[in-house]
Amino acid sequence: MAASDIELMDYDYYDDDYDDFACDDEVESLPELVDDQTTEEKNYAVLKESDIKQRQEEDITEVSNVLSISRNAARILLRHCRWTVSEALDSWFANEEEVRKSAGLIDQDHKIVVCSCEVKNFTCPICYERDSRRNFSSAACGHPFCNSCWSKYLEVSIDDGASCLILRCPDPSCRVVVDQDLINSLKELPEQYKAKYARFLLRSYVEECGKRRIKWCPGPGCENAVEFSSGNCENFDVFCDCSHEFCWNCPADEAHSPVDCEKVVEWNKKSSSEGNTINWILAHTKPCPKCKSPIEKKQGCMHMTCRAPCKFEFCWLCLGEWKSHGNFYICNSYKKAQRSGRYAQENPWKMAEENPWKRYIHYYERWTANQSSRKKALADLYEVKTVHMVKLCGIYHKSISELKGIEEAWLQIVECRRVLMWSYVYGYYLSENEETKKNIHLFEYLQGQAEIGLERLHRCAEVEMRPFITDYENLPTPKEFHDYYLKLINLTTVTKNYFQNLVRGLQNGLQNDKKNKK
């Protein structure tokens, strides 16, 4: 029995009576079954590149004003102190001389090299070429080098990466850091290098943030950063403006509520080590219908005999007792195969008492199934936004903003698939002792209600939309589309409430309160 077959057997009850689940009367009554859930305040802020640049400039200005130093010096000092204003000020007042030395600033008593106006030509200490004074530049220390050598020196350093931010003066005896103003003033340096240096400087504000809780969004191509609020927090899920979801606190970079980060790490290790084995088992083995031991078929005939002490003889195709087949096979028909022997009347994975191996397969299979459904929903979301909504606008004379509920429905589907996926991991690690039996029942109830609601919404968004975008010869009327659109919005709200109840219940440790039982 393949994994897809098991999944179909477990969930095919949705198909036969699906319209009954989504009838108008029930849809209207569903919101009464769930708790009113107010929108929770975000404990993070999404920062655009312009926001980060503004914060960076404000910090530079503050340090420059308080310490009465140039903006270049303040920028170098903050970079040295991991862009933490308080650390920069405290260290400066504690030991200014030591901070200047370690940060790469000029000493307080250092005399800047002042070139005499009578000197018209300089000799570059690097290339030994003589040139006019206007073709030479220097850092804050005053050591002059020709602009051509400066440009080559900077190009190589910037190509090496973010280490260019602590680049020192080329003079072997000098430890002064090259500042951004010098880089921007060099006409010989190509603009792409100036932009690249500025990019390194901006990114360092996030990546070397010191005490601030801020990091870049790991979404592909996203240039947003996320700043987390201080204080204790149990939910670290972040939903960036780019639509990417991730855990702020977890190296996995994937949003995984309602499961904590430790369980995610443990589950990922387990699934990576055993996942291939489980997939192979699901594809190449079947459980003995009597004792449930996994059996691999290595020979051609369908007559299987389980190992001792079971020794049950059965048909590989229908899992029925072999003696019921007589001298010919009777399992070529689907319905006959289901009636072939008392051991084959139910899904054999569900007939025996729970055992750890079968239990893991149960949760792992559903975790991977919802993971695949979420990936498909993400692809469908892109097609809906770029193709289907455009078609609907032309057919029913609507604007994109008037059809925003369709996109919101698919976004809700993607998010609910993620929550449902990780809820199975939560269920796998849920203790089964006597003290937590009520919690298990409550968890299964909340999860079941959420899953049924999600299947209604997913079917409505995926299947029931097809007539409005494919059958151009017999298009539904505008009123029919209006009714469908209202139903989709209603189901989106209902499903959101179900999953809010599920997440809230799991985050609260499945407390057996009346509110969660509604």
Side-chain angles (χ1 to χ4, degrees), residues 306-364:
C306 186
R307 64 178 179 268
C310 179
K311 293 187 177 182
F312 181 72
E313 297 181 44
F314 64 97
C315 171
W316 175 259
L317 294 177
C318 70
L319 301 181
E321 291 181 83
W322 184 256
K323 63 182 180 181
S324 66
H325 284 62
N327 296 324
F328 58 92
Y329 292 111
I330 63 169
C331 60
N332 60 311
S333 170
Y334 172 71
K335 292 185 178 180
K336 286 183 179 180
Q338 283 196 318
R339 295 194 299 267
S340 178
R342 63 188 179 91
Y343 292 103
Q345 293 176 3
E346 298 182 57
N347 182 347
W349 288 109
K350 294 182 177 180
M351 291 166 56
E353 295 180 356
E354 284 291 319
N355 63 70
W357 187 249
K358 192 190 81 168
R359 185 172 181 271
Y360 174 68
I361 290 178
H362 172 87
Y363 288 100
Y364 176 82

Side-chain angles (χ1 to χ4, degrees), residues 498-510:
Y498 275 137
F499 275 83
Q500 284 177 339
N501 280 341
L502 173 62
V503 172
R504 187 177 58 212
L506 302 187
Q507 288 177 344
N508 292 338
L510 291 171

